[in-house]
Amino acid sequence: MPIIPAGVRGARITGWGSALGHKVVTNNDLAATMETNDEWIRERTGIHQRSIGGTTAELSIASGRAALEMSGVDPASIDVLVLATTTPDRTVPATSANVQNALGLRCGAFDVNAACSGFVYALVTAHGLLAMGAQRALVIGTDTLSRIVDWTDRNTAILFADGSGAAVLEATSGPGQLVSWDLDADGSLEDLLFAELGENVQMNGKEVFRRAVRIMVDSATKTMQHAGVTADQIALIVPHQANIRIITAACERLGVPMDRAAMTIEYTGNTSSASIPLALFHAADAGRLKQDDLVLLVGFGAGMTAASALLKWGAL
Ligand code: COA
């Protein structure tokens, strides 16, 4: 399991931004077109409403622009753009090409597809590039799953939504924020959640649920072990916002109380690659994070991927 070698140049998040689809869809809106109801969706998933609409590039540009503005960094000085998405706008080129151009970046740009674990995959990848000499990176997680959901399928339509979260990362002279990380995948489970090219998402919800708790706990445990920290030292856990019952079960097994969990699922639904950054930056905007707090990001998704990262908030 990889451990960050001593002396590696670190990085810190110096700006962030978020964007949601422009149209709010409530559970009652869904109940008007399919056999479901508000009470069932709230109880079984924790979702009250979600936002849909916009392309992956549009949402990425909005969150990316906000992150650049907050950091005060000149877009032309960004050295690399990493866009995590499982719903690119086109097969070729990567959606990051469109985003790079619109934001005035003059650097390498590529997409990463690790489904709902995507943002953590992209964040870890960007840290690697910064350790190799890049000075500044823009990392974005965006998905527009509403475009590949069958809106007559109550199994999936109630869960998925659109959004984007972005972070500007800048190299530091010290160890930086990333304390430890873990990236996992088990491709033998690919049939549990998939979409063929040009087709809608299909999901075995029960099985995904069963596996999700285990793989989140495994990944988070590895990341805490790498860092030599225990659950009681975690100031904030930022779990993938898929289902409140998955989050509750994972937190319980990890020994992190729910009042230390970042939560946006109520109003975002499952925004896949955007889920973790939206929840992280919502918590940061709400003043829930202070210097040196240990923040544990943990996600899972189709593939089946899992990813976690431990950040020391604000560290240099
Ligand atoms: N509205 C109302 N009733 C529904 C419903 C809906 N949207 N979906 C299913 N039901 C009914 C079922 O028909 C079943 O009825 P029955 O008991 O009369 O047979 C009952 O509710 C329970 O269905 P079940 O499929 O067992 O529900 P569940 O508790 O497993 O919840 C999911 C379904 C999809 C919400 C849940 O399995 C889940 O969240 N799985 C993980 C999915 C996920 O996270 N995917 C993204 C991964 S990144």
Side-chain angles (χ1 to χ4, degrees), residues 36 40 44 116 154 203 205-206 240 242-243 245 270 300:
T36 188
W40 192 96
R44 309 302 291 173
C116 306
R154 70 177 186 174
M203 180 182 75
K206 262 200 184 332
H240 170 42
N243 184 317
R245 292 185 293 138
N270 181 345
F300 70 94

Side-chain angles (χ1 to χ4, degrees), residues 13-280:
I13 297 171
T14 58
W16 58 83
S18 304
L20 290 177
H22 46 74
K23 183 179 169 208
V24 171
V25 176
T26 64
N27 293 342
N28 283 328
D29 292 335
L30 293 177
T33 59
M34 67 183 78
E35 205 172 311
T36 188
N37 59 78
D38 179 48
E39 191 189 353
W40 192 96
I41 300 173
R42 281 177 193 240
E43 267 175 22
R44 309 302 291 173
T45 72
I47 300 168
H48 297 192
Q49 63 179 54
R50 74 285 292 139
S51 294
I52 65 168
T55 65
T56 293
E58 282 165 3
L59 295 177
S60 303
I61 292 163
S63 69
R65 185 165 285 139
L68 287 165
E69 279 170 15
M70 179 175 173
S71 71
V73 158
D74 175 4
S77 73
I78 295 285
D79 292 316
V80 66
L81 166 64
V82 190
L83 172 61
T85 187
T86 198
T87 46
D89 292 334
R90 291 184 288 179
T91 306
V92 174
T95 306
S96 51
N98 187 335
V99 177
Q100 183 246 28
N101 182 45
L103 290 176
L105 312 186
R106 303 279 172 266
C107 60
F110 60 98
D111 288 8
V112 166
N113 179 352
C116 306
S117 308
F119 184 80
V120 179
Y121 265 72
L123 190 73
V124 171
T125 301
H127 272 86
L129 294 168
L130 291 161
M132 293 295 291
Q135 287 292 331
R136 291 170 205 88
L138 180 59
V139 180
I140 307 180
T142 306
D143 267 308
T144 49
L145 282 153
S146 71
R147 299 191 299 178
I148 56 163
V149 159
D150 173 355
W151 287 94
T152 63
D153 174 16
R154 70 177 186 174
N155 185 36
T156 51
I158 59 160
L159 297 175
F160 296 115
D162 305 340
S164 179
V168 170
L169 283 184
E170 294 189 66
T172 61
S173 48
Q177 282 182 333
L178 184 65
V179 182
S180 58
W181 57 275
D182 172 66
L183 304 181
D184 283 324
D186 181 352
S188 70
L189 300 175
E190 63 175 351
D191 288 343
L192 295 186
L193 178 54
F194 65 93
E196 297 295 350
L197 277 178
E199 294 180 15
N200 287 327
V201 163
Q202 294 184 49
M203 180 182 75
N204 178 342
K206 262 200 184 332
E207 204 49 34
V208 169
F209 193 116
R210 206 170 67 78
R211 307 267 181 175
V213 177
R214 194 186 319 150
I215 65 176
M216 275 173 98
V217 170
D218 282 354
S219 183
T221 302
K222 280 190 250 177
T223 285
M224 286 194 290
Q225 281 172 353
H226 285 177
V229 307
T230 47
D232 54 301
Q233 293 171 271
I234 303 298
L236 185 77
I237 184 168
V238 186
H240 170 42
Q241 309 285 305
N243 184 317
I244 195 159
R245 292 185 293 138
I246 293 176
I247 295 173
T248 309
C251 285
E252 209 165 87
R253 287 198 203 170
L254 284 167
V256 180
M258 279 298 279
D259 62 2
R260 281 195 244 148
M263 296 294 283
T264 54
I265 190 165
E266 221 180 273
Y267 70 93
T268 59
N270 181 345
T271 55
S272 194
S273 303
S275 146
I276 286 177
L278 283 173
L280 172 63

